[in-house]
Amino acid sequence: MTIKVGDRLPAATLVKVTPEGPEQVSSTDYFAGRRVALFAVPGAFTPTCSAQHLPGFVAQGDALKAKGVDEIACTSVNDAFVMKAWGQASGSAGITMLADGNADFAKAVGLTMDGSKFGMGTRSQRYAMLVHDGVVEQLFVEAPGEFKVSSAEHLLSQI
């Protein structure tokens, strides 16, 4: 079942990239008590993700926070070391990188895709959501191969 607006995020373990190294966090704890703009990409270092998706959230970070967003986070079905390297290479210090290496979170929210024909296996669909105290307030899932509704600019226009 795909998550929808008004649903509480399911429990899953993510790995938060920190300066001290990888730190396991439960989605229940991570999203509790605050408003988080979460966006998901099919893969770190992939073309659209690196050229448009992540840079858009970096550029719009202050504007999102001015509209009541406490934190901006990115998740992908990659390990924490890849997410850390991608974040550093992209200059995204203001974005919390959340590794979903086994796609546990993507599966739990029902937003996976089959990237096998690209040699990528199970991946997350491209989406953006606004989560308030663990409940989905806004959700924008891209059609396959598109990049429109999950952009930082679109999310910002909906808040």
Side-chain angles (χ1 to χ4, degrees):
M1 181 177 89
T2 302
I3 197 154
K4 60 187 180 309
V5 171
D7 288 350
R8 179 163 295 283
L9 288 178
T13 300
L14 296 159
V15 180
K16 182 178 175 181
V17 176
T18 72
E20 295 78 36
E23 173 189 321
Q24 287 194 346
V25 294
S26 79
S27 57
T28 305
D29 293 339
Y30 181 79
F31 292 98
R34 57 196 176 143
R35 202 169 185 213
V36 178
L38 175 70
F39 67 102
V41 299
F45 292 106
T46 56
T48 302
C49 306
S50 292
Q52 295 176 289
H53 212 167
L54 179 58
F57 277 91
V58 171
Q60 297 298 328
D62 289 340
L64 286 162
K65 289 182 178 179
K67 288 210 172 188
V69 171
D70 298 307
E71 187 160 355
I72 302 166
C74 174
T75 186
S76 183
V77 180
N78 289 108
D79 64 65
F81 301 104
V82 169
M83 293 296 283
K84 179 180 179 180
W86 187 43
Q88 289 173 335
S90 302
S92 61
I95 310 293
T96 301
M97 297 299 207
L98 297 172
D100 187 20
N102 294 323
D104 293 336
F105 183 76
K107 290 173 187 172
V109 296
L111 291 169
T112 60
M113 61 169 248
D114 181 2
S116 297
K117 70 179 181 180
F118 305 108
M120 296 170 71
T122 300
R123 293 292 174 137
S124 176
Q125 289 183 44
R126 184 181 306 281
Y127 65 85
M129 69 170 69
L130 187 62
V131 181
H132 186 229
D133 196 22
V135 176
V136 178
E137 191 176 309
Q138 299 277 346
L139 175 62
F140 305 100
V141 181
E142 293 291 356
E146 297 215 351
F147 177 65
K148 296 175 185 171
V149 298
S150 68
S151 71
E153 295 78 9
H154 182 76
L155 181 62
L156 187 59
S157 75
Q158 301 301 306
I159 298 176

